[in-house]
Amino acid sequence: MEKHALALITGILCSPSLAFAGIDDLAETGFIKNSSLDLGTHNIWKYLDEGETDKRNVHSAWGQGLALDYKSGYLADAVGVDASYYGVIKLAAADNFASRGILYDDDGHAKGFNKMGQFFGKAKFSQSGVEGNLYGGWKLIKLGVLTTSMRAAPNTYNGWSGDLTYDAYRLRLAYLTKSLNRDSPDKVNFMTSDGHAIDSIYTGDIQLKTDNLTALYFYGESEDYLRRNGLELNLKQNKSLSYGVQIYMTQALDKWDGMANNKKDFDHRANHYAADMTWKYNGWTTKGGLAYTDANKEGGIGMYPRHMSKNSRGTFNSMTTAGLDYMRDEEKVLSLDVGYHITPELVLGINTHYGFFDFQGQPVKEGELNIYTLWKPASKKLKDLSVFAMIGPGRTYEHKGTSPIVDHHGNIKSSDSFAAEFRLDYKFNIF
């Protein structure tokens, strides 16, 4: 039990309302009556056959995830406690499974695992139109420069977070010190690329949300390592047409500057700019986007780093969110996603990216084309069921670290890939 959760939970247990309440009285409070317990199941298989490092590898993992989520009500309409327990069962794995982020890497062996992923105290208040929340402990975080990634289990963070909302405005802040990765039961520190500990990540964002406009600005730092500013805009012209803009700017700090060159993704600054447009018409949803990255690196191909450290997940909502690709220095990217509702429950679509840039006078190209389907039943009994599948080829260049691999003629070598994914999610409400 961590000190942040203990601080809030101790406050809950010492509150006057609870101190003078008997067990029978407690059972009638909102703390118990408004609590809930859900069981989530997450079956996921991911496959990738690639040769980016001049060696053909198959990365594949299949796991069954289980999530038990408890949410309390509020005692005296002010304080409560939430907790989530996660377990993942190994179903299958290739030798090179680790990049799939599903199963636990125990010294090269794929294994299942279980963990108490969330355990936090919560407090809320409301005054003169201002709504506020405070959280302390291990928690899912999608705030500022950090986000949560879900495979068979999610990653979570330990620390303090909170928010204030007034009318169309929302302010959120967080101070975090440790993490639990999505594919591991181990509590770990944030780390630099060369393996040194980062004491904390602090971040915040402010949002304006109206019927037609959502504007989000965020800021954050991983201590003495990276500093990031971001802006995300979404404008709805009408029910059919909307536009999006994403700007992410990252600056190197002392710990980054002190690393060896081969550990860095970029030299001093890395920026990513993207814009998209979504059009909905008669069962069709079409989304197209453009993106550009500026991430200079001496002696190699620089790239924009999505994450603020090792053992954290970075906020990134550009259409180019596809692993490490499409965020190289001076890379221009065209993205397209077209989905059609065959029925109200079933979507069939294609998702594609094409990126291009020059390196030392040579053109470099990469791309992919995926076919996907998503089924969400309309039945109330199955409203929390979803089935997703995707498959398709890709092409990029061979590299070692950030340096391209060339053939005996000095030409950058290309590499084909093939990826597939299946996911089935379902949630049961126990009470």
Side-chain angles (χ1 to χ4, degrees):
M1 189 182 300
E2 298 292 336
K3 61 182 180 180
H4 302 113
L6 274 173
L8 270 182
I9 294 168
T10 300
I12 293 168
L13 296 177
C14 295
S15 66
S17 299
L18 184 57
F20 295 102
I23 297 299
D24 293 338
D25 293 334
L26 180 62
E28 294 302 315
T29 65
F31 183 86
I32 299 298
K33 295 179 69 174
N34 296 328
S35 63
S36 65
L37 182 65
D38 294 325
L39 174 63
T41 64
H42 310 285
N43 187 288
I44 182 169
W45 171 73
K46 289 182 73 70
Y47 174 92
L48 175 63
D49 182 348
E50 56 85 20
E52 291 186 17
T53 58
D54 200 26
K55 180 180 179 182
R56 181 59 52 174
N57 285 312
V58 173
H59 308 278
S60 178
W62 184 19
Q64 176 62 57
L66 300 171
L68 196 61
D69 296 308
Y70 170 76
K71 295 182 179 180
S72 80
Y74 285 87
L75 186 65
D77 200 34
V79 290
V81 180
D82 289 2
S84 295
Y85 180 84
Y86 304 111
V88 177
I89 302 168
K90 174 189 171 183
L91 300 178
D95 291 338
N96 296 288
F97 68 93
S99 65
R100 302 301 84 204
I102 297 172
L103 301 173
Y104 180 46
D105 185 353
D106 185 7
D107 196 24
H109 300 285
K111 292 183 178 180
F113 61 92
N114 56 78
K115 59 184 177 181
M116 182 67 76
Q118 292 195 93
F119 185 67
F120 61 91
K122 58 185 182 181
K124 68 174 183 177
F125 74 91
S126 178
Q127 185 68 39
S128 302
V130 178
E131 306 286 338
N133 295 279
L134 175 66
Y135 307 99
W138 286 94
K139 189 178 183 299
L140 295 168
I141 295 288
K142 292 185 178 182
L143 189 163
V145 300
L146 295 177
T147 191
T148 293
S149 173
M150 178 70 185
R151 293 286 170 91
N155 67 295
T156 58
Y157 303 93
N158 183 50
W160 292 95
S161 61
D163 60 78
L164 291 172
T165 303
Y166 177 75
D167 195 26
Y169 300 92
R170 184 193 67 192
L171 171 67
R172 301 188 298 177
L173 300 169
Y175 177 83
L176 306 164
T177 56
K178 288 183 179 294
S179 70
L180 275 165
N181 288 323
R182 59 192 179 182
D183 56 0
S184 171
D186 301 327
K187 298 174 181 177
V188 292
N189 294 317
F190 303 121
M191 305 289 290
T192 66
S193 293
D194 59 353
H196 291 87
I198 296 172
D199 290 339
S200 63
I201 296 177
Y202 63 87
T203 186
D205 60 42
I206 184 166
Q207 176 184 269
L208 167 65
K209 187 173 184 179
T210 65
D211 291 340
N212 297 316
L213 174 66
T214 300
L216 177 75
Y217 167 78
F218 60 82
Y219 173 89
E221 288 192 18
S222 44
E223 187 181 31
D224 295 330
Y225 189 58
L226 292 174
R227 176 183 297 131
R228 179 166 296 167
N229 291 269
L231 178 66
E232 297 180 347
L233 301 173
N234 184 265
L235 175 64
K236 293 182 180 179
Q237 180 171 323
N238 50 49
K239 291 183 179 180
S240 300
L241 196 59
S242 62
Y243 309 93
V245 173
Q246 303 89 36
I247 300 173
Y248 306 109
M249 299 179 292
T250 302
Q251 177 185 348
L253 301 179
D254 290 346
K255 288 182 179 179
W256 181 278
D257 289 335
M259 292 193 303
N261 186 61
N262 64 354
K263 295 294 183 179
K264 299 177 183 179
D265 294 321
F266 64 94
D267 290 333
H268 303 294
R269 292 181 181 273
N271 301 331
H272 182 84
Y273 311 95
D276 57 67
M277 181 176 69
T278 303
W279 179 53
K280 298 180 180 181
Y281 180 75
N282 281 354
W284 291 90
T285 299
T286 302
K287 183 176 183 179
L290 305 171
Y292 176 77
T293 299
D294 179 12
N296 186 64
K297 178 177 171 61
E298 183 179 353
I301 298 176
M303 63 174 292
Y304 176 84
R306 286 191 298 164
H307 312 309
M308 294 296 292
S309 69
K310 284 188 175 182
N311 302 323
S312 73
R313 310 296 301 181
T315 296
F316 192 79
N317 292 306
S318 165
M319 288 186 72
T320 56
T321 176
L324 301 177
D325 296 327
Y326 313 118
M327 292 179 287
R328 322 286 184 179
D329 182 38
E330 297 188 357
E331 184 167 16
K332 284 74 70 176
V333 184
L334 306 174
S335 300
L336 179 66
D337 190 297
V338 180
Y340 177 67
H341 278 270
I342 299 174
T343 72
E345 301 175 333
L346 181 64
V347 176
L348 180 65
I350 60 169
N351 178 276
T352 185
H353 306 281
Y354 174 70
F356 55 97
F357 59 97
D358 290 333
F359 179 71
Q360 296 181 348
Q362 289 194 52
V364 183
K365 303 174 183 179
E366 56 184 351
E368 64 185 272
L369 174 65
N370 299 302
I371 299 173
Y372 68 88
T373 184
L374 174 64
W375 179 55
K376 288 187 174 183
S379 167
K380 290 184 178 181
K381 292 183 179 180
L382 299 176
K383 67 182 180 67
D384 293 313
L385 171 67
S386 67
V387 181
F388 173 82
M390 182 178 69
I391 190 169
R395 188 174 181 83
T396 185
Y397 65 93
E398 294 185 13
H399 58 88
K400 182 178 181 181
T402 59
S403 300
I405 297 173
V406 299
D407 61 21
H408 61 282
H409 296 295
N411 297 319
I412 297 174
K413 298 171 70 174
S414 61
S415 174
D416 295 326
S417 64
F418 189 82
E421 179 178 346
F422 171 82
R423 185 178 187 97
L424 188 153
D425 296 302
Y426 190 51
K427 184 172 69 174
F428 305 84
N429 178 249
I430 299 174
F431 62 78

